Amino acid sequence: MASNDALHNLKRAMKENDKSVDDLFKELDIDGDGKINGPELYKGIKSMVGEMMSLDQVSDFIKSYDVDGDNRIAVSELRNALS
Ligand SMILES: [Ca+2]
Ligand SMILES: [Ca+2]
């Protein structure tokens, strides 16, 4: 599945740049509200991995890892996704 490729590439980018999940989260959370929403994820993947995700893929990704159902990715949920 393409969203898994994006996740895989995101993990690799994180390792190559020696970033922690917290560093990555801060970069993705553009408005600083402590949650990553769809547009933030979309832009983040594009700028970090250079990969375009479709909006469907972004929403699938969020649905797969959104444990508390707020339709946003919290740092604990991102950690889960990347572990
Ligand atoms: Ca945010
Ligand atoms: Ca959530």
Side-chain angles (χ1 to χ4, degrees), residues 13-24:
M14 195 172 84
K15 261 191 209 143
E16 277 170 6
N17 298 308
D18 201 23
K19 286 186 202 298
S20 66
V21 174
D22 291 295
D23 293 337
L24 187 73

Side-chain angles (χ1 to χ4, degrees), residues 25 28-38 40 72-73:
F25 189 86
L28 288 170
D29 184 17
I30 297 164
D31 64 6
D33 69 348
K35 298 277 168 80
I36 297 167
N37 60 24
E40 287 172 340
R72 288 170 169 73
I73 299 296

Side-chain angles (χ1 to χ4, degrees), residues 30-62:
I30 297 164
D31 64 6
D33 69 348
K35 298 277 168 80
I36 297 167
N37 60 24
E40 287 172 340
L41 187 62
Y42 178 82
K43 283 182 212 153
I45 300 266
K46 207 170 104 182
S47 70
M48 282 178 214
V49 182
E51 195 165 309
M52 302 283 284
M53 280 172 97
S54 70
L55 293 179
D56 279 352
Q57 287 168 344
V58 170
S59 78
D60 280 352
F61 179 96
I62 291 178

